[in-house]
Amino acid sequence: MKILVLNGPNLNLLGRREPDIYGTATYDDLTAAVRRHAEKLGVEVEIRQSNHEGDLVDWIGEAIGTADGIVLNPAAYTHTSVALLDAVLAAGIPTVEVHLSDLTKREAFRQISFVRAACIATVMGHGIAGYTEAMDLLVKR
């Protein structure tokens, strides 16, 4: 099984970006935890991050026929991107939406997720552990 982990804008700034919301773990800590968990599960994992919406859309399309599941943290694009919604729908790959923070306890505009309608599940508010939970959901599926 191959899982593609996609991270949206500003996740490369973890550890420095609003640590009271996102914690002090860095992006390197996140990728290391995902790789360790993939090894434990016996799955292949590819991790990518971009601050550009089009990159994320392209990577979802490129995953058709190569990935068995996607863990997607669209970050700020969660609340704005119909393009990501359409890409996930078109790809037809089981996708789990992940957020480090609990969006239900954040600003009103963060309550809206365009991509959620195309995802099999959403994991939020569990920090980096949310990524491993998402991987578990995909493996069980």
Side-chain angles (χ1 to χ4, degrees):
M1 178 174 196
K2 180 176 181 180
I3 297 174
L4 177 61
V5 178
L6 297 178
N7 292 292
N10 298 312
L11 285 163
N12 57 311
L13 299 175
L14 285 178
R16 287 191 272 167
R17 179 182 175 221
E18 300 175 278
D20 53 319
I21 295 173
Y22 300 107
T24 56
T26 66
Y27 187 72
D28 287 341
D29 295 333
L30 185 153
T31 60
V34 167
R35 291 188 196 291
R36 278 191 307 273
H37 198 64
E39 187 174 324
K40 177 182 167 188
L41 293 173
V43 301
E44 182 182 346
V45 68
E46 181 177 352
I47 307 167
R48 295 182 178 184
Q49 186 276 329
S50 180
N51 295 319
H52 305 281
E53 181 180 24
D55 289 343
L56 298 167
V57 170
D58 288 345
W59 294 336
I60 292 167
E62 291 167 6
I64 298 170
T66 64
D68 302 297
I70 298 173
V71 173
L72 174 63
N73 185 340
Y77 293 132
T78 302
H79 325 293
T80 64
S81 182
V82 174
L84 283 175
L85 166 66
D86 288 348
V88 173
L89 287 170
I93 301 167
T95 301
V96 178
E97 174 187 22
V98 173
H99 299 284
L100 296 165
S101 66
D102 184 347
L103 301 183
T104 66
K105 297 178 180 172
R106 306 273 315 268
E107 304 93 333
F109 73 89
R110 293 190 199 272
Q111 310 297 313
I112 299 164
S113 171
F114 284 99
V115 299
R116 188 163 300 142
C119 295
I120 63 167
T122 298
V123 179
M124 68 172 91
H126 300 165
I128 289 174
Y131 284 79
T132 59
E133 292 173 39
M135 294 167 70
D136 290 342
L137 288 169
L138 289 169
V139 168
K140 287 177 186 172
R141 186 176 169 94

